[in-house]
Amino acid sequence: AVLRAGDHPSASDVSVWYRTGLHHEADMRGTPRPHLALAFNAGVWGYESWLPSMQLVVDQGVPCIVTSYNLQEAEDDEDLLMANLRGTRWLWEAEGCSSLGGREKRSSVAMGTTLVDSSAWQCFTAARDRPVREEP
């Protein structure tokens, strides 16, 4: 989706690119470097396949917001990311985010645990003193 400033006189142009799959595997030729990466309810703690994509956005100097179904999952995501990503700083560590929270459901894995879409979040980016990788 693309919003144009002419459609909304007080707005700037915004382009939104949506891709499924892993960022490090996507063919990004011909697309601009992102300004923000979003990983909704990614379950990073359970899928180490996310790590190369997360490292790539850090290497590109792109802030990344990761949401989680609950604070425990967000903290597990954070532990894995902090232990494995190089040259990273957190803009905010894992915390609850009731304003993003969506529908509630029961976990099929951790009995008695309630899951709410995007009820916790965190954001990280490249460390300030780290050189940013340009487009490949």
Side-chain angles (χ1 to χ4, degrees):
V2 178
L3 302 175
R4 301 267 180 232
D7 297 337
H8 305 282
S10 64
S12 299
D13 285 353
V14 175
S15 297
V16 177
W17 296 75
Y18 173 82
R19 294 184 189 265
T20 58
L22 297 169
H23 180 59
H24 72 278
E25 294 176 350
D27 181 1
M28 301 298 283
R29 288 177 292 196
T31 62
R33 183 173 64 88
H35 294 120
L36 176 67
L38 301 165
F40 294 106
N41 304 314
V44 175
W45 64 270
Y47 303 94
E48 289 190 15
S49 56
W50 274 109
L51 291 174
S53 291
M54 300 295 174
Q55 187 64 61
L56 179 58
V57 297
V58 168
D59 292 346
Q60 292 175 329
V62 176
C64 183
I65 295 175
V66 178
T67 71
S68 304
Y69 288 112
N70 55 47
L71 186 56
Q72 176 63 50
E73 182 178 295
E75 290 170 345
D76 290 344
D77 289 345
E78 182 181 79
D79 289 344
L80 181 77
L81 293 167
M82 285 185 169
N84 289 281
L85 296 182
R86 299 172 317 278
T88 306
R89 67 183 167 100
W90 259 249
L91 299 176
W92 65 85
E93 294 183 8
E95 64 183 22
C97 182
S98 60
S99 64
L100 288 180
R103 60 187 170 85
E104 186 175 301
K105 57 188 170 185
R106 296 275 178 217
S107 173
S108 61
V109 177
M111 302 315 270
T113 301
T114 301
L115 308 176
V116 179
D117 290 332
S118 301
S119 67
W121 65 343
Q122 60 193 288
C123 184
F124 57 87
T125 192
R128 286 190 177 107
D129 60 346
R130 180 157 192 217
V132 173
R133 180 174 141 186
E134 294 303 319
E135 291 300 308

